[in-house]
Amino acid sequence: MSYGTALRGEVRSPGTTPLIGIYDMYSASVVARHYDGFFVSGFGFAASHYGLPDIGFIAWPDMVAFVERLRLAFPSHHLLVDIDDGYVDPEVACHVVQRLERIGASGVILEDQKRPRRCGHADGKQVLPLEEYLEKLNLVLESRRDLVVVARTDATEESDILRRAEALAETDADVVLVDGVRSVEWIKRIRKVVGDKPLLFNQIAGGKSPRLSLSELTDLECQVAIYSTPCLFAAHAAIDSALTDLKRSDGRLPEFVASEGIGVQRSTELLEKNISRHHPAPEPATV
């Protein structure tokens, strides 16, 4: 199977393609019941794998190993992977992209931030000189075979946002992302300067961007929507609530109703679906 071609075709199809942020194998197992595409979120992976904020702690071998486990368990899902700034060095970025393509990633997002980096919806972001980022981006584009590449800018100055979006659209990147876009009006302005290049919109709870439906994003000609953290934040709230109740009840578990709750049987049944022998063997990714 050519995973890049499959995602590229989905992006070019009518409507807005949703990719749901997952942070570990269990969250991916739940998401797989509802959606066909995953976003391997840097925010979620930093939180889950290291217990640290998304400010540059991710080591690329850890991300590659995670994506490898995902692809084995979910052989037909789209996997768009956040590789931050390509782990600083252009040579490392190219190496990681080739590794990810060989293990079956569908695409990557490469940003133009410089260190110290920040979550795309945080304050204090700094960006590389445009020429320096374009050099890194073009090396990555030359090193991929079929992988989808999303070129991302974290620019915050109005004139720089439009200048960079236009420059990214002129490359061979498949999709453009302006992260932290603050309004519908700005989406329209960005859409105008990128021409017919597919546009990705990132929304995160408590972030800087407006809350928009897929129908609204389709009307705005955004071909892809990534949802970085709904699973992570929902898990945070649910775990906190469950343990508060457990404390309140002196450690007695709540009464279990099999038809309504999640217990050992439903959890095991969910995870059994991920065993690789239960999947038809996919064709190797084209690389």
Side-chain angles (χ1 to χ4, degrees), residues 184-203:
V184 167
E185 180 57 34
W186 262 98
I187 297 173
K188 292 177 180 178
R189 294 179 69 179
I190 294 162
R191 174 76 269 166
K192 186 174 181 180
V193 300
V194 301
D196 63 355
K197 183 76 75 171
L199 195 59
L200 185 151
F201 180 73
N202 177 24
Q203 50 189 342

Side-chain angles (χ1 to χ4, degrees), residues 6-68:
L7 178 57
R8 195 172 286 107
E10 181 70 26
V11 169
R12 289 290 187 178
S13 66
T16 301
T17 298
L19 300 174
I20 307 301
I22 49 92
Y23 60 88
D24 67 0
M25 296 298 295
Y26 200 95
S27 63
S29 303
V30 178
V31 170
R33 300 176 58 205
H34 300 275
Y35 289 92
D36 297 328
F38 298 148
F39 172 51
V40 186
S41 160
F43 190 110
F45 186 70
S48 174
H49 196 75
Y50 304 102
L52 294 169
D54 184 25
I55 57 174
F57 285 106
I58 296 173
W60 69 261
D62 294 336
M63 179 61 85
V64 169
F66 179 42
V67 174
E68 186 175 31

Side-chain angles (χ1 to χ4, degrees), residues 2-287:
S2 179
Y3 291 112
T5 294
L7 178 57
R8 195 172 286 107
E10 181 70 26
V11 169
R12 289 290 187 178
S13 66
T16 301
T17 298
L19 300 174
I20 307 301
I22 49 92
Y23 60 88
D24 67 0
M25 296 298 295
Y26 200 95
S27 63
S29 303
V30 178
V31 170
R33 300 176 58 205
H34 300 275
Y35 289 92
D36 297 328
F38 298 148
F39 172 51
V40 186
S41 160
F43 190 110
F45 186 70
S48 174
H49 196 75
Y50 304 102
L52 294 169
D54 184 25
I55 57 174
F57 285 106
I58 296 173
W60 69 261
D62 294 336
M63 179 61 85
V64 169
F66 179 42
V67 174
E68 186 175 31
R69 293 197 302 274
L70 282 168
R71 181 48 80 204
L72 187 63
F74 307 100
S76 60
H77 277 66
H78 303 301
L79 293 179
L80 179 64
V81 184
D82 183 2
I83 61 168
D84 296 336
D85 57 359
Y87 310 99
V88 186
D89 187 274
E91 291 293 349
V92 175
C94 294
H95 180 75
V96 171
V97 162
Q98 291 182 333
R99 287 283 300 272
L100 287 170
E101 185 159 17
R102 280 171 170 76
I103 62 176
S106 308
V108 298
I109 298 178
L110 180 71
E111 68 190 34
D112 62 358
Q113 282 199 54
K114 66 179 179 180
R115 300 287 170 128
R117 71 169 308 280
R118 296 286 182 265
C119 166
H121 288 252
D123 294 326
K125 297 187 297 181
Q126 302 177 75
V127 291
L128 294 167
L130 178 58
E131 294 72 20
E132 185 177 338
Y133 172 68
L134 289 176
E135 183 179 356
K136 183 191 294 186
L137 174 63
N138 285 322
L139 285 171
V140 163
L141 291 168
E142 290 170 7
S143 68
R144 60 95 184 254
R145 298 281 186 88
D146 177 65
L147 197 76
V148 168
V149 174
V150 178
R152 162 179 158 177
T153 180
D154 283 82
T156 56
E157 297 295 329
E158 294 188 359
S159 60
D160 200 28
I161 290 171
L162 297 178
R163 179 176 76 100
R164 287 175 182 257
E166 184 174 13
L168 303 191
E170 291 173 354
T171 71
D172 289 332
D174 299 279
V175 182
V176 169
L177 161 61
V178 177
D179 211 11
V181 62
R182 295 170 182 266
S183 68
V184 167
E185 180 57 34
W186 262 98
I187 297 173
K188 292 177 180 178
R189 294 179 69 179
I190 294 162
R191 174 76 269 166
K192 186 174 181 180
V193 300
V194 301
D196 63 355
K197 183 76 75 171
L199 195 59
L200 185 151
F201 180 73
N202 177 24
Q203 50 189 342
I204 181 170
K208 297 182 182 300
S209 299
R211 293 167 51 249
L212 298 172
S213 69
L214 291 174
S215 297
E216 289 170 318
L217 289 171
T218 296
D219 291 341
L220 290 166
E221 299 181 78
C222 290
Q223 283 77 12
V224 188
I226 55 174
Y227 296 82
S228 299
T229 56
C231 297
L232 181 71
F233 294 168
H236 183 152
I239 292 168
D240 194 53
S241 176
L243 296 183
T244 297
D245 290 345
L246 191 65
K247 273 185 177 180
R248 188 179 296 120
S249 64
D250 191 29
R252 188 189 303 277
L253 287 172
E255 182 178 356
F256 179 69
V257 181
S259 61
E260 300 174 6
I262 302 297
V264 64
Q265 182 176 345
R266 285 184 66 184
S267 179
T268 301
E269 289 171 353
L270 175 73
L271 297 173
E272 283 176 342
K273 296 182 174 119
N274 298 342
I275 298 173
S276 58
R277 70 178 179 84
H278 295 165
H279 305 145
E283 297 177 8
T286 302
V287 296

